[in-house]
Amino acid sequence: MIPENLKANLEQRIAAAITHREAAVDVMKELQRHYGWLTDEALEEASQLLGLSPLQVEELATFYEMIYRRPVGRHVVHVCDSVSCWALGGETLLESLAKLLETESGSTTADGAVTLLPCSCLGNCGEAPCMMVGEKQYGRVTPEIGVQIVAALRLRDGSTNS
Amino acid sequence: MEQILLKHTHHGRCLSFEEYRFSGGFEALAKALKDMTPAEVQQDVIDSGLRGRGGAGFPTGKKWSFVPRDLPGPRYLICNCDEMEPGTYKDRVLLERNPHLLVEGMALACYALEVHHAFIFVRYGYEQAAGNLRQSIAAAGRSGFLGDNILGSDFSLELDVHQSAGRYICGEETALINALEGKRANPRAKPPFPAIKGLWGQPTVVNNVETLANIPAIITGGPLLWKNLAATPEAAGTKLFCISGHVVNTNCFELPLGMTLGEIIDGPSGGMRSGSRFKACIPGGAATPYFTEAHLGVPMDFDPVAKAGSRLGTGGIVVFDQNTCMVAVTLNLIRFFARESCGWCTPCREGLPFVRHTLERIEAGRGESNDIDILREHVHMLNYAFCALAPGAMGPVEGLLRLFYDELEAHILEKKCPFKKQ
């Protein structure tokens, strides 16, 4: 169940739209922000808010790269694998991060901390190779820098837990 | 070299709304509302020779002229900022430095088109750009440049920002319209063209960020002055070129349209990196056939680039050095396109993975001689796909076959990639 204030915000967003479903992407993003990923419960809630069937929301959710229909880690790390980053060593960056995290590209670490995903061009080709952590972009990421950034995420998690 | 789009950006940060106004911002809008009819604004854009900066290069004023003004109900303008073409980052740079230029450009375009509600469709990952736009829109509203009865005129306009959740196909204008309506972003059949039946079935114009950002300068200085910013008499205006790959300065530059490829690489791009020699480049974003050394003298303008066998596209130039395997480059590009195919039509959904699979085998040294025929056949057959994604995707494959045939064949004959140390 989503909190009443989030529900009210989303209802307001939908009311401001020309048709309800125009707000679908905003609603899915907000629900994902709340749950961490777009759970079945979130899908059901989105469909009720938008006046669509769950299947119609599913059709949208599975279409977008940044909507997750499976659980992800507390941090999602996207590594660009498009041509400009590839030309400057993007593959090595992804491999180094997979090694550090002891996971495969496309998976989540055993402790649920980090999901590592390859992604399409981040629009930062002048600063290749690039990666994105959550919504924050990083440019000129050598494997060494990438490993430092991702290792710092886990340290930060550690300090909040203790 | 005079700049229109990036002239305010030497501070290395986003221009404030006040700074923009102080340097002449919104004077073009004030001039249009006071002294010009919507038809006159459209005529200036036609006379300027401005062609769309998003990839297709269609004349902007002409696109506007297709919109019927007598149909009942609203008309819409959509600014396409779904900048997801690999090698392209110009719209992000522009919006991170000066979002106000787009807001004013959109206000002028809406005045010309008699549109009262417009949308800016922003890709994921461009949080800064979207935030800048929201702030600029709010500031413009407070100063009376947006909202009801702008500057005391009869013209009213509302601008909304839509932030997408990521798919390359959303940049295709009819897919974008579906995405904005909250539908799965498959392309629509054309005709009817969006100019007649677009967003919610109403006449709609979709223009790129850079295209719209040029409108204020056309209105302020007049179409001729703007046109003459180009390097050749045939070209019109400046262009944002975004450079990446094996050159020294991988940056976004505003340059006169019609500068040669060699001038761009050796000039602002600072030449090749130490130890690197120029081998080839993608001249205009991932969907354009390669250029080689033989093309360094080609003026980077729509028609000369097309005549030389490629497309100016988005102006995203990706440069490769002598150690780069062009089969591997093509494979990387095809992996992108196969992943980003929306799956709507069979040739694209099935054809691109087959091309990817074929290139994977060739690159891994398991290619066979008839694989080249398979690639050639697909270059032809994928022209029959539903939208421009698959034919665009085959641009680099066509370039590989035409310009790097020997390299391709060597992979098959030697049963390995000649660039890989074994």
Side-chain angles (χ1 to χ4, degrees):
Chain A
M1 279 276 285
I2 51 171
E4 278 307 314
N5 60 341
L6 175 58
K7 194 176 172 192
N9 283 345
L10 292 175
E11 281 169 348
Q12 212 178 352
R13 166 67 189 98
I14 292 164
I18 291 181
T19 64
H20 286 180
R21 67 183 303 164
E22 181 204 331
V25 170
D26 287 345
V27 168
M28 288 192 297
K29 279 184 180 170
E30 285 307 316
L31 291 174
Q32 176 164 292
R33 214 184 296 276
H34 175 73
Y35 288 104
W37 58 289
L38 200 74
T39 60
D40 290 348
E41 188 183 2
L43 194 89
E44 189 73 39
E45 284 165 336
S47 75
Q48 279 167 17
L49 284 161
L50 292 162
L52 299 172
S53 69
L55 186 65
Q56 283 172 311
V57 180
E58 180 80 327
E59 193 182 51
L60 291 171
T62 54
F63 191 76
Y64 288 108
E65 192 174 354
M66 295 296 143
I67 302 293
Y68 313 126
R69 279 291 280 130
R70 279 191 283 171
V72 289
R74 289 188 293 282
H75 307 282
V76 181
V77 176
H78 282 99
V79 180
C80 174
D81 65 3
S82 292
V83 69
S84 303
C85 288
W86 171 84
L88 292 175
E91 277 177 346
T92 325
L93 171 62
L94 189 60
E95 281 163 20
S96 308
L97 294 181
K99 203 173 147 199
L100 169 80
L101 294 167
E102 294 173 343
T103 186
E104 278 172 28
S105 157
S107 328
T108 303
T109 53
D111 61 357
V114 182
T115 299
L116 181 65
L117 297 171
C119 71
S120 295
C121 185
L122 289 166
N124 196 17
C125 321
E127 297 193 15
C130 305
M131 60 183 245
M132 190 170 78
V133 180
E135 288 179 352
K136 189 171 164 50
Q137 292 228 21
Y138 295 86
R140 301 189 197 281
V141 189
T142 59
E144 295 73 32
I145 296 175
V147 162
Q148 278 173 21
I149 293 169
V150 173
L153 290 176
R154 291 187 126 173
L155 274 179
R156 215 170 63 200
D157 271 7
S159 57
T160 28
N161 289 346
S162 62
Chain B
M1 282 184 285
E2 197 179 334
Q3 297 200 316
I4 295 295
L5 304 171
L6 300 182
K7 69 173 172 185
H8 298 295
T9 59
H10 51 279
H11 305 296
R13 58 170 172 81
C14 182
L15 192 75
S16 75
F17 189 77
E18 290 69 30
E19 285 170 325
Y20 181 65
R21 284 208 54 194
F22 186 72
S23 63
F26 287 98
E27 279 174 16
L29 181 62
K31 176 185 168 183
L33 290 178
K34 191 164 157 277
D35 300 330
M36 297 169 83
T37 64
E40 283 168 344
V41 173
Q42 178 172 301
Q43 193 58 46
D44 269 7
V45 174
I46 292 172
D47 294 342
S48 73
L50 173 64
R51 293 174 67 168
R53 296 327 198 206
F58 195 81
T60 306
K62 197 169 172 187
K63 198 178 206 180
W64 293 3
S65 74
F66 294 151
V67 175
R69 313 296 157 99
D70 51 358
L71 291 178
R75 284 175 290 280
Y76 296 106
L77 172 74
I78 304 170
C79 171
N80 187 346
C81 183
D82 191 66
E83 186 172 61
M84 290 196 63
E85 178 98 2
T88 309
Y89 56 98
K90 65 190 179 67
D91 297 339
R92 180 180 58 75
V93 168
L94 182 60
L95 293 176
E96 285 185 0
R97 298 188 191 175
N98 184 357
H100 323 296
L101 209 49
L102 176 64
V103 172
E104 185 176 7
M106 286 188 75
L108 283 162
C110 289
Y111 178 67
L113 291 159
E114 296 169 78
V115 160
H116 303 293
H117 194 174
F119 298 85
I120 308 166
F121 189 98
V122 185
R123 62 162 288 175
Y124 84 87
Y126 280 21
E127 304 302 320
Q128 178 79 46
N132 288 357
L133 273 170
R134 287 207 168 89
Q135 283 185 13
S136 178
I137 290 167
R142 285 194 299 273
S143 304
F145 296 118
L146 287 177
D148 292 335
N149 301 103
I150 296 171
L151 300 175
S153 71
D154 293 337
F155 175 58
S156 303
L157 175 63
E158 189 184 337
L159 285 190
D160 277 329
V161 176
H162 173 95
Q163 282 183 270
S164 182
R167 270 315 272 277
Y168 173 70
I169 192 64
C170 295
E172 198 280 339
E173 62 178 6
T174 61
L176 188 153
I177 288 169
N178 273 337
L180 201 52
E181 288 184 8
K183 296 176 181 153
R184 196 169 163 110
N186 300 124
R188 294 179 179 177
K190 294 192 268 194
F193 286 89
I196 311 294
K197 208 171 170 195
L199 192 58
W200 294 299
Q202 296 300 124
T204 302
V205 168
V206 183
N207 284 144
N208 171 258
V209 173
E210 185 188 349
T211 309
L212 290 163
N214 271 298
I215 312 286
I218 292 171
I219 300 304
T220 309
L224 201 64
L225 200 68
W226 182 87
K227 184 179 185 302
N228 289 338
L229 293 170
T232 63
E234 297 79 28
T238 62
K239 175 83 191 77
L240 295 177
F241 287 98
C242 31
I243 319 292
S244 60
H246 302 136
V247 292
V248 175
N249 303 322
T250 48
N251 251 318
C252 178
F253 305 104
E254 181 180 3
L255 302 171
L257 206 53
M259 259 176 95
T260 67
L261 177 61
E263 286 166 349
I264 294 174
I265 290 174
D266 290 333
S269 313
M272 300 299 292
R273 295 182 177 203
S274 141
S276 283
R277 271 182 293 113
F278 179 87
K279 177 178 182 178
C281 74
I282 297 170
T288 59
Y290 306 115
F291 271 177
T292 62
E293 247 179 324
H295 301 102
L296 289 171
V298 175
M300 293 300 283
D301 178 26
F302 296 97
D303 294 336
V305 171
K307 220 172 127 192
S310 190
R311 291 187 300 112
L312 185 69
T314 59
I317 301 177
V318 191
V319 181
F320 305 109
D321 70 7
Q322 75 280 9
N323 298 320
T324 314
C325 169
M326 296 311 288
V327 175
V329 173
T330 312
L331 173 58
N332 176 281
L333 293 169
I334 286 294
R335 278 185 175 143
F336 167 83
F337 287 114
R339 184 204 283 162
E340 293 295 338
S341 168
C342 77
W344 178 249
C345 77
T346 312
C348 182
R349 185 185 61 242
E350 306 297 327
L352 291 178
F354 191 42
V355 174
R356 182 192 63 205
H357 176 69
T358 308
L359 286 169
E360 271 168 354
R361 278 196 295 121
I362 296 173
E363 177 63 9
R366 298 195 310 274
E368 289 162 22
S369 55
N370 70 339
D371 284 343
I372 292 181
D373 297 329
I374 290 174
L375 293 179
R376 196 165 276 140
E377 212 168 84
H378 278 75
V379 169
H380 173 66
M381 293 306 283
L382 289 193
N383 282 322
Y384 297 99
F386 190 75
C387 82
L389 188 146
M394 296 312 283
V397 180
E398 186 277 322
L400 180 74
L401 286 161
R402 179 164 43 88
L403 300 163
F404 296 98
Y405 187 86
D406 293 349
E407 197 170 310
L408 182 61
E409 203 180 30
H411 278 75
I412 296 170
L413 294 177
E414 295 170 26
K415 298 196 184 305
K416 67 180 177 76
C417 171
F419 292 87
K420 276 204 185 104
K421 295 180 191 87
Q422 313 236 329

